[in-house]
Amino acid sequence: MALYTFNELLRPAHREGVAVAAINIANYETAVAVYEASEQVKRPVIIQMYSRMFGNGKAEMLIPLLRKLAEKSGQMVAVHLDHGASLEQVRDAIRWGCTSVMFDGSNLPMEENIRITREVVKLAKAAGVSTEAEIGHVAMGDEGHLTEPDEAKRFVEATEVDALAVAIGTAHGYYKIAPKLDIERCAAIAEALPETPLVLHGGSATPMEDVKKVIRHGIAKINIATEFQDTFLKAARAELEKLDGKFLPIDRFMDPVREKCVAHAARLMKEFAFLE
């Protein structure tokens, strides 16, 4: 299959009451692992990259690989710019072949976030690309600003963004204590925006019981980065310890590392679709 916009993945998921995994990759092995997991579970997937990778040349090199892998995949795949920091990054992501883009103006005043997001939506629509934005602020370890339902409604109506990331109690990275998701807030936002797929950032290590509750209240895309990449690092460390200083070609060394990443991603895809 070719690549799809995430509208083509999220809107059916939203109607069905399930969520699509959006997994951050960083190299060939993590990319292939996500594709293999999608094939194994027979679920669509969003493959995304951190915004910094659009500023250091890595995304430009990886996107052609992702597009080639998508041609060989039997599942629907979208390639996404995660937390885009500027219009320039959005333009680059579209030019290099992403099928969806996020501009994160959640730290900006509301009117400025609306203004720039409108420009992003205009650029994306002209290219046939879907869009994501954020209202409220999902923090990186510190306290964020939770999303207000009325602000979310106003923002979507003003920008016509395709999907909205909401702050309901999660944070990026690993937690020191388990987060408490505001399920009622999520339900209220979903009620205010019944046609808009909602996005949960900070999905890593969030209790699955709570994740499934918010999926039932409008969350159709769940971002996973930290726990997936931590799986890669821990698997690589374990394989190095097995070698005990002996040599092994890198391609062979990476095979069991990739397999552990496949298993991790496949488990999440099943959970988000209520398959187990």
Side-chain angles (χ1 to χ4, degrees), residues 162-210:
D162 295 309
L164 186 68
V166 294
I168 55 172
T170 56
H172 293 103
Y174 274 142
Y175 299 103
K176 293 180 181 178
I177 59 173
K180 294 181 179 179
L181 270 61
D182 192 333
I183 310 298
E184 290 183 5
R185 183 181 298 270
C186 185
I189 298 168
E191 184 177 355
L193 295 168
E195 302 301 321
T196 303
L198 303 179
V199 180
L200 184 72
H201 285 236
S204 290
T206 299
M208 191 58 67
E209 180 182 354
D210 286 343

Side-chain angles (χ1 to χ4, degrees), residues 86-262:
S86 65
L87 280 172
E88 181 182 5
Q89 285 191 344
V90 168
R91 289 191 185 98
D92 284 342
I94 292 170
R95 182 160 52 90
W96 296 338
C98 282
T99 57
S100 64
V101 293
M102 178 191 186
F103 171 71
D104 182 1
S106 61
N107 273 321
L108 299 174
M110 170 70 88
E111 295 305 321
E112 185 71 358
N113 193 0
I114 287 174
R115 184 186 68 79
I116 299 174
T117 302
R118 277 177 175 161
E119 290 297 313
V120 169
V121 170
K122 183 179 178 181
L123 284 170
K125 282 187 175 180
V129 168
S130 53
T131 52
E132 177 185 341
E134 184 172 321
I135 281 291
H137 179 62
V138 181
M140 178 65 77
D142 56 358
E143 188 173 346
H145 170 65
L146 299 184
T147 305
E148 297 295 338
D150 58 339
E151 288 187 351
K153 187 174 190 297
R154 177 181 165 228
F155 183 87
V156 170
E157 289 176 348
T159 62
E160 299 183 357
V161 72
D162 295 309
L164 186 68
V166 294
I168 55 172
T170 56
H172 293 103
Y174 274 142
Y175 299 103
K176 293 180 181 178
I177 59 173
K180 294 181 179 179
L181 270 61
D182 192 333
I183 310 298
E184 290 183 5
R185 183 181 298 270
C186 185
I189 298 168
E191 184 177 355
L193 295 168
E195 302 301 321
T196 303
L198 303 179
V199 180
L200 184 72
H201 285 236
S204 290
T206 299
M208 191 58 67
E209 180 182 354
D210 286 343
V211 169
K212 290 185 175 182
K213 286 178 183 177
V214 296
I215 292 172
R216 295 186 179 98
H217 290 295
I219 296 291
K221 173 179 180 272
I222 299 178
N223 284 21
I224 299 292
T226 302
E227 68 175 78
F228 178 69
Q229 297 197 12
D230 193 40
T231 294
F232 176 91
L233 293 173
K234 286 177 177 174
R237 185 181 302 119
E239 293 305 312
L240 278 173
E241 289 173 355
K242 287 179 188 176
L243 279 179
D244 192 27
K246 299 182 179 67
F247 171 76
L248 185 67
I250 292 174
D251 58 317
R252 291 174 59 192
F253 171 83
M254 282 294 176
D255 286 343
V257 177
R258 189 190 71 254
E259 288 169 5
K260 287 184 173 64
C261 290
V262 172

